[in-house]
């Protein structure tokens, strides 16, 4: 959805429309979601076309004001919580009603979350009036302020599978004041958004025999031996009693002795199952525990005591093994947090004290001795050493660290002594953010998992209905034996459980995410893990991605009476305020020559073009050929000089003062050593198209593309041009990845099917914007990421196909009397274990 917004602006007296237009174009390129921003010279109106899902009118206004441009409009943005929404049509009704109201720019209702985002002009309508309009339709609207809407995090040790999630969801959704629920099965974490008391939520959870905790604890530490091992003990007891009953019956012992033994086996193995089933039924939920309890009770009712005991023992054993297998997948993620020590050695002068990492403050000095792990993120202030960064970046070789270098918590110090100034609290370290991102990724369902959930939603009720018909129709219509068809219906009830199918995708995705994280590849969800395995095209940024990004100034050409020293002084003055890759090379050269940068003010960045600043009362501009052509400052001699520099592989940077060109600076970069090999590997994997997208000049871009073997090259692109190029790739190939630095290329990364950011270990923004983050500057991780995605997708498809095929076989054989209860349980639980073990293969080293 695109919206058009007209904002009257007041042009500053000391600027003309051309300069304002450049500022606004820079704003449009930087702010994600803006399609275009045009300033009308005639009526002084800024006309903006934007996507309200990515930005807002108030955010646009704030950006414009930050450029020193005054506005005559003022938009507000609010988020309201809605009560009384019963269906998607209700949401549509509210949106349509508000869209017709004067002063409201747009409104979007999120039906599942029962919230609404609204953008409006407070001079014409206020939030209270909007709430009243909604109430006229029969709904209630309220602002979810911090005092009104709370979130609580609970750890639920009993939450092992989707059945517990369904039970919790049904119980809490009926609780007044609960607004939304978020589940993380791997971390056994439940987040409740509510406007009620925490005590009511905890009480509701305990009613369904869940034990909510505020902190995640190891069972062995808090629950005691029996609570921790009771499932194992009861399963072993059930197995022993079942075998005992079987042996007694085979030796001719009277049934009055063997039946109590079988009953004891059923009770020991089925107590936990029946308990869960009871609370599920009480909350009107049909799950595997209910189905299995009914199957065992039914077997006992028709005198099949051995089968009933065998069924419950096999089911209990399978649940036990499944729990251990899932715990292995969980530990693969949780073990990441164990990489960072729990204590740190804080140094104050000559005194050292050991404290918990939670008590360490930003700015504290940590002492790290040889062989120790770095406790927290920080900067080296004394000493030098080789540091093993593989836990964070996946790099195989240690990295040299000295004064001023950044280090990450969880990395391993080599043979040197380091003193480190802390730059992040324990909850904000790179390692903590990686673990948080991986945990969040588990809650983002992959497409295959969404398919499985939809399938299971209809499959179980359908099979239960078929089982009921199987038990009733043959005896009633054909006069068949009730006992025979009742037994077959019980078999079908066991088959109705979609356990193997439901677990087939999550365990694979979790294992693959953990495997990727160990190699320094951070996926933001299963959706991107699957998507990267289906990619057909890759687009790359140049500077800092395919090249090292360590630019060097190779040439300074002074023009129109200027000299090299003056050109460098002015250029470094402007670039001292810039974050562009080229700035560092210019500043480094000025320092090497002993030239002090000029004092600059009123700095303005123009993405894709250059920058401007005021020095000693005069406005200076520095940028590429495009900028100076648009300003009308180019001439034939300048064009010829630029052509020579660019053919030599340099990026030409022009300096001018608005009247004349003062000089040209030639900056060059070198391709990464692994670029060619990485691109060749992608081609071997079947990637059909690779393209270089850069704002650099054509000659330089073509030279780099030819050296590394990339198929196509598009140069002199603005940020919006890169977005358009990525869209074209997606349209042509169905899916495409964009590989960049995660900050400057954010719009293109967001447009791609999968946005991949490189070298983001210490970059907060990149970790947020990318779909996939490579923690180190290593392009060889790209083919590995593709292989991991393809392997995960292959394992998921194997698991789903096997699970569905096995169900179909039993559904077909059961009416023919070719299956038994214990066979159904063995097959169903065996299938669950097989798909788990198959999914765990994603953790393996070979890809």
């Amino acid at each position: 959805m695109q919206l058009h917004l007209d904002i009257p602006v007041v042009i500053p007296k000391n600027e003309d429309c051309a300069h304002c237009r450049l500022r606004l174009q820079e704003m449009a390129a930087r702010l994600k979601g803006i399609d275009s921003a045009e300033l009308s010279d005639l009526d002084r109106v800024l006309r903006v076309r934007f996507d309200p899902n990515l930005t807002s009118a108030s955010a646009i206004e704030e950006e414009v004001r930050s450029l020193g441009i005054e506005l005559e409009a003022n938009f507000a943005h609010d988020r309201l919580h809605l009560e009384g929404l019963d269906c998607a049509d209700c949401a549509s009704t509210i949106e349509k009603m508000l869209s017709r109201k004067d002063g409201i720019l747009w409104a979007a209702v999120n039906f599942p979350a029962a919230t609404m985002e609204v953008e409006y002009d407070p001079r014409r309508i206020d939030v209270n009036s909007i709430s009243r309009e909604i109430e006229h339709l029969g709904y209630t609207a309220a602002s979810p302020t911090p005092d009104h809407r709370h979130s609580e995090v609970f750890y639920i040790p009993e939450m092992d599978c989707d059945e517990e999630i369904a039970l919790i969801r049904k119980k809490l959704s009926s609780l007044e004041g609960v607004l939304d629920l978020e589940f993380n099965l791997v971390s056994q974490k439940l987040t409740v958004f509510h406007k009620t008391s925490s005590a009511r939520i905890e009480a509701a959870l305990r009613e369904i025999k869940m034990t909510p905790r505020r902190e995640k604890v190891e069972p062995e530490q808090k629950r005691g031996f029996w609570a921790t091992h009771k499932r194992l003990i009861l399963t072993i007891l059930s197995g022993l009693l079942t075998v005992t009953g079987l042996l007694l019956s085979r030796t001719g012992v009277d049934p009055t002795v063997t039946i109590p033994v079988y009953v004891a086996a059923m009770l020991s193995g089925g107590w936990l199952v029946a308990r869960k089933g009871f609370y599920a039924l009480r909350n009107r939920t049909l799950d595997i525990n209910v189905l299995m309890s009914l199957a065992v009770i039914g077997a006992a009712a028709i005198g099949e005591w051995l089968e009933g005991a065998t069924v419950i023992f096999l089911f209990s054993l399978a649940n036990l093994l499944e729990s251990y297998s899932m715990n292995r997948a969980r530990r693969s993620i949780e073990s990441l947090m164990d990489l960072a020590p729990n204590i740190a050695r804080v140094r104050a002068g000559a005194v050292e004290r050991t404290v918990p990492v939670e008590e360490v403050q930003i700015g504290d000095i940590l002492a790290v001795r040889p062989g120790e792990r770095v406790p927290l993120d920080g900067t080296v202030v004394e000493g030098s050493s080789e540091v093993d960064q593989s836990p964070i970046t996946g790099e195989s070789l240690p990295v040299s660290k000295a004064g001023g270098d950044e280090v990450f918590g969880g990395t391993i110090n080599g043979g040197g002594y380091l003193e480190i100034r802390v730059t992040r609290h324990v909850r904000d370290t790179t390692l903590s953010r990686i673990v948080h991102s991986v945990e969040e990724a588990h809650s983002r369902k992959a497409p295959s998992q969404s398919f499985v959930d939809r399938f299971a939603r209809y499959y179980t009720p359908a099979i239960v209905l078929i089982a009921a018909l199987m038990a009733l129709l043959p005896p009633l219509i054909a006069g068949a034996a009730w006992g025979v068809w009742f037994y077959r219906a019980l078999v079908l009830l066991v088959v109705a459980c979609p356990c193997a199918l439901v677990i087939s995708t999550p365990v694979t995705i979790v294992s693959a995410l953990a495997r990727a994280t160990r190699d320094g590849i951070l996926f933001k969800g299963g959706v991107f893990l699957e998507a990267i395995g289906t990619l057909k095209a890759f687009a790359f940024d140049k500077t800092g991605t395919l090249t090292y990004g360590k630019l060097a100034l190779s040439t300074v050409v002074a023009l129109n009476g200027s000299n090299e020293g003056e050109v460098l002084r002015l250029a470094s003055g402007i670039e001292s305020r810039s974050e562009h890759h080229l700035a560092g090379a210019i500043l480094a050269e000025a320092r090497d020559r002993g030239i002090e940068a000029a004092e600059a003010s009123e700095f303005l960045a123009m993405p894709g073009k250059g920058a401007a600043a005021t020095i000693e009362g005069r406005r200076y501009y520095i940028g590429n050929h495009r900028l100076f052509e648009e300003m009308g400052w180019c001439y034939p001699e300048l064009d010829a000089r630029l052509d020579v520099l660019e053919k030599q592989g340099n990026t030409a940077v022009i300096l001018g003062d608005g009247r004349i060109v003062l000089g040209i600076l030639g900056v060059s970069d070198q391709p990464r050593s692994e670029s060619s090999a990485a691109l060749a590997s992608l081609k071997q994997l079947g990637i059909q198209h690779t393209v270089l997208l850069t704002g650099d000049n054509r000659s330089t871009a073509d030279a780099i593309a030819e050296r590394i073997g990339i198929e196509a090259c598009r140069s002199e692109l603005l940020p919006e041009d890169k977005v358009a190029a990525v869209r074209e790739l997606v349209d042509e190939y169905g899916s495409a990845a964009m590989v960049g630095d995660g900050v400057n290329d954010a719009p293109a990364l967001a447009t791609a099917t999968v946005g991949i950011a490189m070298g983001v270990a210490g970059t907060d923004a990149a970790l947020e914007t990318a779909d996939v983050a490579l923690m180190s500057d290593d392009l060889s991780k790209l083919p590995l990421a593709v292989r991991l995605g393809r392997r995960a997708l292959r394992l998921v498809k194997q698991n789903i196909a096997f699970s569905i095929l096995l169900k179909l076989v039993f559904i077909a054989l059961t009416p023919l009397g070719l299956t038994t209860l214990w066979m159904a349980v063995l097959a169903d639980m065996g299938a669950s274990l097989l798909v788990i073990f198959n999914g765990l293969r994603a953790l393996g080293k070979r890809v």
Side-chain angles (χ1 to χ4, degrees):
M1 179 175 64
Q2 292 284 331
L3 293 179
H4 295 268
L5 178 67
D6 288 349
I7 307 177
V9 298
V10 179
I11 305 298
K13 292 181 179 180
N14 61 341
E15 289 205 43
D16 58 23
C17 275
H19 289 156
C20 278
R21 186 175 291 108
L22 284 173
R23 290 172 179 260
L24 293 169
Q25 287 174 354
E26 179 268 340
M27 178 271 295
R30 182 176 68 250
L31 191 61
K32 189 174 183 179
I34 295 183
D35 187 58
S36 63
E38 296 293 335
L39 178 63
S40 169
D41 293 347
L42 183 62
D43 52 8
R44 296 295 197 272
V45 171
L46 173 63
R47 293 185 169 88
V48 184
R49 188 171 67 179
F50 69 99
D51 184 346
N53 294 316
L54 299 177
T55 188
S56 62
S58 53
I60 295 171
E61 287 186 334
E62 185 178 344
E63 285 289 332
V64 174
R65 285 196 183 92
S66 71
L67 300 178
I69 300 174
E70 294 298 322
L71 306 181
E72 294 180 4
N74 182 28
F75 289 90
H77 182 98
D78 266 307
R79 185 170 185 263
L80 304 178
H81 172 69
L82 304 177
E83 293 183 6
L85 285 180
D86 298 319
C87 60
D89 287 340
C90 304
S92 178
T93 300
I94 295 174
E95 289 178 350
K96 289 177 181 177
M97 181 273 293
L98 290 180
S99 66
R100 294 193 292 266
K101 293 296 177 183
D102 181 51
I104 295 181
L105 180 63
W106 66 276
V109 177
N110 184 333
F111 171 61
T115 59
M116 180 183 74
E117 306 283 340
V118 60
E119 195 97 26
Y120 60 97
D121 185 349
R123 297 172 302 175
R124 292 185 283 171
I125 192 170
D126 59 25
V127 70
N128 292 328
S129 299
I130 295 172
S131 297
R132 284 195 296 271
E133 293 290 345
I134 294 172
E135 289 168 4
H136 291 159
L137 293 176
Y139 310 101
T140 302
S143 299
T145 61
D147 294 329
H148 186 80
R149 187 176 192 262
H150 306 274
S151 67
E152 300 277 351
V153 175
F154 300 99
Y155 290 96
I156 315 291
E158 297 83 3
M159 194 166 73
D160 290 322
C161 63
D162 280 6
E163 289 145 9
E164 282 81 20
I165 289 178
L167 186 59
I168 293 169
R169 188 185 297 280
K170 192 154 193 173
K171 183 66 177 178
L172 293 187
S173 296
S174 63
L175 194 65
E176 185 179 357
V178 173
L179 308 177
D180 197 11
L181 302 170
E182 289 182 1
F183 296 91
N184 190 320
L185 189 59
V186 173
S187 300
Q188 296 179 306
K189 184 170 70 175
L190 165 67
T191 305
V192 184
F193 298 93
H194 66 92
K195 52 177 183 176
T196 185
S197 69
S198 301
R200 287 188 65 206
I201 295 171
E202 292 188 40
L205 289 169
R206 289 194 176 94
E207 284 179 15
I208 54 175
K209 299 305 175 183
M210 302 292 168
T211 53
R213 291 184 168 88
R214 295 308 181 95
E215 293 183 357
K216 188 162 189 178
V217 295
E218 292 299 323
E220 296 81 1
Q221 296 173 338
K222 297 291 183 180
R223 299 173 64 192
F225 181 82
W226 167 249
T228 302
H229 300 290
K230 65 182 176 183
R231 183 185 290 182
L232 173 63
I233 295 170
L234 290 173
T235 300
I236 293 173
L237 181 60
S238 177
L240 291 174
L241 289 169
T242 301
V243 171
T244 301
L246 175 62
L247 293 174
L248 290 173
S249 63
R250 288 288 184 269
T251 56
V253 175
D254 191 88
T256 57
V257 176
T258 58
I259 288 176
V261 175
Y262 286 135
V263 171
M266 292 179 187
L267 290 175
S268 57
W271 176 61
L272 295 176
V273 176
R275 186 166 170 262
K276 286 184 178 181
F278 170 74
Y279 287 106
L281 270 182
R282 206 169 81 170
N283 286 275
R284 297 185 296 278
T285 300
L286 192 66
D287 68 1
I288 181 57
N289 299 294
V290 175
L291 298 176
M292 201 59 62
S293 299
L294 290 175
V296 172
I297 293 170
I302 60 175
E304 296 288 347
W305 297 102
L306 174 59
E307 291 228 19
T310 304
V311 162
I312 204 63
F313 164 65
L314 291 175
F315 180 68
S316 182
L317 177 63
N319 275 341
L320 187 68
L321 294 174
E322 184 178 314
S323 176
Y324 287 159
S325 301
M326 281 300 293
N327 283 338
R328 180 185 170 191
R330 290 191 184 107
R331 285 194 296 270
S332 67
I333 298 300
E334 293 168 359
S335 62
L336 291 173
M337 282 308 295
D338 296 335
L339 295 174
N342 295 321
I343 58 173
R345 194 179 294 106
V346 178
R347 185 178 181 85
V351 179
E352 284 187 7
R353 57 191 179 93
T354 301
V355 299
V357 290
E358 292 80 8
E359 296 180 11
V360 178
Q361 301 298 314
I362 292 176
D364 284 352
I365 303 298
L366 304 182
V368 182
R369 295 192 172 95
E372 292 182 342
R373 288 187 181 270
V374 177
L376 300 166
D377 290 6
T379 305
V380 177
V381 293
E382 185 177 322
S384 62
S385 183
E386 299 284 314
V387 175
D388 178 4
Q389 296 191 149
S390 59
I392 302 296
T393 65
E395 294 170 282
S396 58
L397 298 176
V399 179
S400 297
K401 298 290 183 179
D405 290 335
E406 185 178 22
V407 291
F408 308 115
T411 56
I412 305 167
N413 185 23
Y417 171 81
L418 294 176
E419 289 189 2
I420 299 166
R421 176 176 287 108
V422 176
T423 57
R424 287 193 178 101
H425 289 292
V426 62
R427 63 181 179 274
D428 299 322
T429 64
T430 299
L431 181 60
S432 296
R433 288 182 289 117
I434 288 172
V435 173
H436 176 71
S437 295
V438 173
E439 287 184 339
E440 290 297 310
H442 297 159
S443 62
R444 299 175 184 174
K445 292 185 177 180
S448 57
Q449 190 173 351
S450 299
F451 159 75
V452 166
D453 290 346
R454 289 194 303 270
F455 181 87
R457 193 178 303 132
Y458 298 106
Y459 168 79
T460 300
I463 298 300
V464 170
L465 178 60
I466 293 172
L469 295 175
M470 184 181 293
L472 297 172
L473 293 183
L476 291 175
I477 296 174
W482 282 96
V484 171
W485 287 97
F486 184 73
Y487 180 85
R488 293 176 184 178
L490 292 179
V491 174
L492 208 57
L493 276 183
V494 174
V495 177
C497 168
C499 281
L501 187 62
V502 170
I503 205 70
S504 61
T505 299
V507 69
T508 307
I509 296 299
V510 168
S511 300
L513 291 174
R515 169 70 169 82
T517 304
R518 286 207 308 257
D519 285 303
I521 305 169
L522 182 61
F523 286 91
K524 292 299 186 68
V527 60
F528 304 116
L529 181 67
E530 289 192 5
I532 202 170
T534 63
L535 291 173
K536 300 298 182 185
F538 270 77
F540 295 85
D541 180 41
K542 181 180 74 70
T543 307
T545 302
L546 290 174
T547 64
Y548 285 106
K550 297 178 181 178
L551 303 170
L553 189 65
S554 57
T555 306
V556 179
V557 180
L559 300 172
N560 298 313
S562 186
N563 60 69
E564 289 189 10
E566 182 65 7
V567 170
L568 266 179
R569 187 182 77 89
L570 296 171
S572 58
I574 302 173
E575 297 291 16
S576 64
R577 303 292 185 90
S578 174
E579 296 181 358
H580 195 276
H581 292 295
L582 300 175
I586 295 171
L587 292 170
E589 182 66 18
R591 282 195 300 270
D592 290 345
R593 296 193 186 190
I595 297 173
E596 185 176 350
E599 187 66 33
S601 61
E602 299 180 18
F603 175 81
L604 171 67
M606 293 172 278
K609 297 178 183 179
T614 299
I615 298 175
E616 297 164 359
R618 179 176 291 182
R619 195 71 171 167
Y620 289 90
Y621 297 84
I622 190 168
N624 57 21
H625 200 179
R626 178 196 292 266
L627 172 64
F628 280 73
E629 275 188 334
E630 288 183 359
M631 303 298 280
W633 298 332
C634 288
Y635 51 92
E637 184 185 349
L638 176 66
D639 293 338
R641 288 179 178 270
L642 293 174
D643 189 51
V644 170
L645 281 174
E646 290 168 359
K647 285 181 178 178
Q648 294 172 351
N650 291 289
T651 296
V653 180
I654 310 170
L655 175 71
D657 65 357
R659 298 176 295 107
I660 59 173
V661 174
L662 299 175
I664 308 171
L665 302 98
V667 180
S668 60
D669 191 9
Q670 295 298 315
R672 294 184 182 276
S673 58
E674 74 275 12
S675 293
S676 298
L679 288 164
S681 296
L682 289 175
K683 191 171 183 178
Q684 290 174 358
L685 288 170
I687 300 301
Q688 298 175 8
H689 186 69
T690 54
V691 59
L692 172 63
L693 305 179
T694 179
D696 215 336
N697 64 80
R698 181 174 180 178
S699 299
T700 303
D702 286 345
I704 293 291
E706 185 177 354
R707 287 182 62 181
I708 63 177
I710 204 163
E711 295 176 15
C713 176
R714 298 181 63 172
S715 54
E716 300 180 10
L717 300 178
L718 294 173
E720 56 265 34
D721 298 328
K722 290 185 180 180
V723 170
V726 171
R727 283 177 182 156
E728 290 174 13
L729 283 177
V730 173
D731 291 341
E732 183 176 354
Y733 293 95
S735 62
M738 174 67 193
V739 187
D741 59 17
V743 181
N744 298 328
D745 298 305
L749 291 175
T751 304
T753 310
V754 180
I756 305 173
M758 284 185 56
V760 301
T763 311
D764 294 347
L767 277 171
E768 295 298 323
T769 58
D771 302 322
V772 180
L774 307 184
M775 305 307 290
S776 64
D777 289 317
D778 186 359
L779 279 172
S780 66
K781 300 289 185 184
L782 278 179
L784 175 60
V786 174
R787 290 196 298 272
L788 283 170
R790 290 184 179 179
R791 186 185 194 191
L793 194 56
R794 185 168 62 251
L795 292 174
V796 165
K797 289 179 178 179
Q798 289 173 2
N799 286 347
I800 292 174
F802 174 71
S803 303
I804 293 178
L805 181 62
L806 189 65
K807 297 290 182 187
L808 293 176
V809 168
F810 266 79
I811 291 170
L813 295 179
T814 298
L816 302 176
L818 299 177
T819 58
T820 62
L821 272 175
W822 68 266
M823 287 171 60
V825 173
L826 192 62
D828 193 71
M829 295 299 102
S832 295
L833 294 175
L834 282 175
V835 298
I836 288 174
F837 292 138
N838 193 42
L840 287 173
R841 289 170 56 206
L843 280 170
K845 293 183 178 180
R846 293 183 61 186
V847 181

